[in-house]
Amino acid sequence: MNGHVYQTAYATATPPAFSLEGVSRSAGGRTLLHPLDLHIEPGRVTGLVGHNGSGKSTLVKLLAGQITPDTGVVRCAGPAARRLEHARVRA
């Protein structure tokens, strides 16, 4: 991503649904997501738009807990998120 984050700034007593503080991610020597600070407020619709290779999927995977950041902290409704371990489904 290019580091430009556009969001409405307003004061709220409710903690963000998601909060990223200094989050970055690299793989194979390539930076997938430059350091990013982002707060997504609960109850708001948030769009994610960008060119191919700009880090959209990486950001969503970080928010979902599918991957962990190289730097920074991802928080989901307050506490720091940890990588989710996927349970095996038995037939």
Side-chain angles (χ1 to χ4, degrees), residues 1-6 33 38 46-57 59-60:
M1 299 192 73
N2 64 7
H4 298 287
V5 177
Y6 303 97
L33 188 69
L38 175 66
T46 301
L48 184 58
V49 180
H51 296 287
N52 292 343
S54 63
K56 299 179 303 291
S57 295
L59 177 57
V60 171

Side-chain angles (χ1 to χ4, degrees), residues 9 14 19 37 52 59 72 75 83:
T14 306
S19 178
D37 291 333
N52 292 343
L59 177 57
R75 297 182 191 281
R83 183 180 175 141

Side-chain angles (χ1 to χ4, degrees), residues 1-5 20-26 30-38 54-55 58-59 62 69-73:
M1 299 192 73
N2 64 7
H4 298 287
V5 177
L20 290 83
E21 300 166 6
V23 170
S24 69
R25 176 72 181 196
S26 298
R30 181 171 175 244
T31 301
L32 303 175
L33 188 69
H34 292 275
L36 174 68
D37 291 333
L38 175 66
S54 63
T58 301
L59 177 57
L62 286 163
D70 293 334
T71 64
V73 177

Side-chain angles (χ1 to χ4, degrees), residues 65-77:
Q66 293 178 343
I67 59 175
T68 55
D70 293 334
T71 64
V73 177
V74 177
R75 297 182 191 281
C76 177

